[in-house]
Amino acid sequence: EPPAVFFNPHEINVSVGDIFAVNLYVLQVDNVAGVHLRVQYAREKLQFLDMELGELFIDAYDTLFFWDSTTAAYLDVYSLYLATDEYTYSSGTASIATAYFKARDLGDSDLIYLRPQTRMVTPDNEPITIKSYGKATINVD
């Protein structure tokens, strides 16, 4: 149920040593100017490698985008809309970022958005209620 956050694809099948990408998406958001996504993952099974900016804030003058993977088992992604005279926010369904991982060990694990750390705000820094949180399952054989 929107507004929501989800992963695409939501199921990934890989072998040990494979590198794969997963997109971090928002679904049917209105008037969003900032996003913080906290993703939990199993570090013993997955190694975080890199992150690329997504397309949600494509109309922004410049997008402030950064991430932190230093906290054990968490990946924090921040994206903020830097306004122009014409545009001050974004709406719709789009990716925030693409995350790259390497499969370290056999078995299944999940990527999960944590609450309440995962959040979105309007240009006035008002919270946007996220109604649904998706997850991605990584199957490593």
Side-chain angles (χ1 to χ4, degrees):
E1 181 181 0
V5 291
F6 69 98
F7 298 96
N8 184 33
H10 70 276
E11 185 170 0
I12 299 171
N13 298 304
V14 293
S15 298
V16 173
D18 287 353
I19 294 173
F20 64 92
V22 62
N23 296 299
L24 289 64
Y25 266 86
V26 295
L27 175 70
Q28 296 180 13
V29 296
D30 289 319
N31 198 30
V32 65
V35 176
H36 171 205
L37 304 175
R38 176 167 263 197
V39 178
Q40 182 177 12
Y41 68 100
R43 276 201 167 167
E44 65 278 0
K45 302 225 180 240
L46 303 175
Q47 176 186 0
F48 171 73
L49 299 174
D50 201 7
M51 182 76 63
E52 287 180 359
L53 176 64
E55 58 197 29
L56 179 67
F57 296 140
I58 201 140
D59 292 332
Y61 168 72
D62 195 10
T63 303
L64 183 59
F65 175 72
F66 56 99
W67 68 90
D68 178 19
S69 63
T70 57
T71 305
Y74 300 112
L75 174 61
D76 286 293
V77 180
Y78 302 88
S79 190
L80 305 170
Y81 194 101
L82 298 180
T84 65
D85 290 339
E86 284 184 57
Y87 302 104
T88 59
Y89 63 89
S90 192
S91 295
T93 298
S95 67
I96 296 294
T98 301
Y100 294 90
F101 291 91
K102 183 175 184 178
R104 289 181 137 165
D105 201 1
L106 294 172
D108 298 346
S109 63
D110 293 327
L111 301 177
I112 301 168
Y113 290 110
L114 290 184
R115 307 171 211 191
Q117 295 89 347
T118 294
R119 48 182 257 138
M120 294 183 275
V121 296
T122 68
D124 296 324
N125 204 30
E126 296 294 324
I128 296 171
T129 301
I130 300 171
K131 294 184 179 177
S132 299
Y133 295 79
K135 77 173 185 175
T137 300
I138 315 303
N139 305 304
V140 182
D141 56 21

